[in-house]
Amino acid sequence: LEHSFLSVRQEAAHQSWGFVHPTFTDAISRMLSGRPDLVELYVQGAKVETLLSEAVCEGAAPIRDAVVIPASASEHLVRRLLAVPDVPDLNRSLFEFLSVRASDCVVSAILDADVNLLHREARQHWKIWGDQRIRFLARVHKLHRLPEDIGADAAERLEYAATEDLD
């Protein structure tokens, strides 16, 4: 049934099955992805929750049916992401976006504008592999931008998960 009523989606480090059904959002995503002039309007006007779940930056791993944000709209996207309220559920979505859907340039611009974002707390997954803050910190480390104290805290958490929780 794959490619008829079901599809396999790859997000972060796991695959999931989903129903394929064209929606208004899918149609808009396809249309916007082909019109960079409209993408800026989308970035400026869409709810932040929508941006975090339905957009992907040009240069990041492609995600099916996601609105592709071109590099030319990165400045607008960074402004919107910096305005995300500091609440655990939204932080989890923000960290997921920054770890998987954002380009290196967008992540770097976010860190340049607000390094305190690294101190935000997010709702935690019951297993460490699903913790979006840890995934984001790993990406920041890969970019050689992770402060030593935050890296040490993350390392302690990973060690505890491996040795005590057998995660």
Side-chain angles (χ1 to χ4, degrees), residues 20-100:
V20 176
H21 48 67
T23 64
F24 181 73
T25 303
D26 295 335
I28 293 295
S29 295
R30 284 190 199 100
M31 182 185 75
L32 287 175
S33 292
R35 298 272 315 265
D37 56 321
L38 294 179
V39 173
E40 284 187 27
L41 293 173
Y42 171 78
V43 169
Q44 293 172 6
K47 290 175 34 178
V48 73
E49 293 88 345
T50 302
L51 281 175
L52 295 174
S53 64
E54 295 181 3
V56 64
C57 292
E58 178 180 55
I63 296 175
R64 186 175 168 260
D65 294 332
V67 175
V68 178
I69 308 295
S72 62
S74 293
E75 186 178 322
H76 299 293
L77 178 62
V78 168
R79 267 199 305 274
R80 289 297 309 278
L81 296 177
L82 288 170
V84 171
D86 186 1
V87 294
D89 284 342
L90 278 176
N91 286 340
R92 185 178 197 282
S93 297
L94 176 61
F95 291 146
E96 181 176 9
F97 181 89
L98 292 171
S99 65
V100 178

